[in-house]
């Protein structure tokens, strides 16, 4: 059974009365942070819909830049990935993300995929306090919230731009303007420059951002502005053990 706090959030959501849904969810769940990202575009890349606090947004950007972490894993396998203590995670699981997460001050992460069966539209990410595992109640509340968000986002074919049923408000709209549009544009340009697939082009973009210790968006902006090309002599070897794909590329 869900808690009274989560029940109140879900009632407010249904009535479109939540001013700051991310903050309300974080408070009801009793977690350090919460973020909702949706998969959009041809590459099905995650776009942040809302985050609280700023640390959650930074962690989402970190996962997107590196292409690894509990969020991508949860979407890939279609089941929750619960890691409340990142210090206990094997280093080889997320070799690039783990040290970067520690630098951010992220201690634990639990991710719940949004979707039905093979349809996966996003992920709900919870940041946990240091050394604190999710209680049974928190897990139940997070699962209930994920189910409601999934149902609301899939209702009335929102993927085709329908704004959905009444009462849900703007809090659950698919992004009309992509926060990472420059990344999608740069990926397409790199795909043409190197004559590779969009997936490999994104991997190359991530590799250069990681090797240069720069945000992915900055590298993408340089590509779009034609200050950087990917058919030059830069060593784009993405097969190392600490590359964004963990050495699988």
């Amino acid at each position: 059974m869900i808690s009274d706090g989560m029940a109140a959030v879900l009632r407010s959501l249904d009535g479109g009365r939540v001013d700051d849904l991310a903050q309300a969810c974080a408070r009801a769940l009793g977690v350090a942070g919460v973020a909702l990202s949706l998969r959009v575009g041809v590459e099905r890349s995650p776009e942040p819909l809302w985050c609280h606090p700023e640390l959650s947004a930074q962690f989402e950007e970190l996962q997107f830049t590196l292409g690894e972490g509990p969020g991508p894993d949860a979407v890939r396998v279609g089941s929750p990935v619960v890691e409340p203590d990142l210090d206990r995670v094997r280093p080889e699981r997320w070799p690039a993300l783990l040290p970067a997460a520690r630098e951010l001050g992220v201690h634990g992460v639990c991710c719940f995929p949004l979707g039905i069966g093979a349809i996966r539209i996003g992920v709900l990410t919870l940041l946990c306090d240091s050394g604190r595992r999710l209680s049974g109640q928190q897990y139940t509340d997070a699962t209930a919230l994920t189910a409601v968000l999934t149902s609301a986002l899939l209702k009335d074919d929102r993927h085709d731009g329908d704004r959905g049923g009444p009462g849900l408000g703007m809090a659950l709209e698919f992004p009309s303007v992509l926060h990472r549009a420059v990344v999608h544009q740069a990926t397409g340009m790199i795909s043409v420059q190197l004559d590779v697939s969009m997936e490999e082009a994104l991997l190359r973009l991530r590799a250069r951002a990681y090797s240069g210790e720069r945000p992915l968006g900055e590298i993408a902006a340089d590509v779009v502005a034609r200050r950087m090309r990917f058919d030059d002599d830069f060593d784009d070897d993405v097969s190392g053990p600490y590359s964004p794909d963990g050495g699988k590329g």
Side-chain angles (χ1 to χ4, degrees), residues 78-117:
S79 60
V81 175
V82 180
E83 294 293 352
D85 186 355
L86 293 182
D87 286 337
R88 299 176 66 88
V89 176
R90 301 186 313 276
E92 62 271 18
R93 185 175 184 185
W94 302 313
L97 180 122
L98 289 174
R102 293 190 190 98
E103 289 185 11
L104 277 181
V106 174
H107 303 286
V109 186
C110 303
C111 295
F112 296 78
L114 275 66
I116 299 176

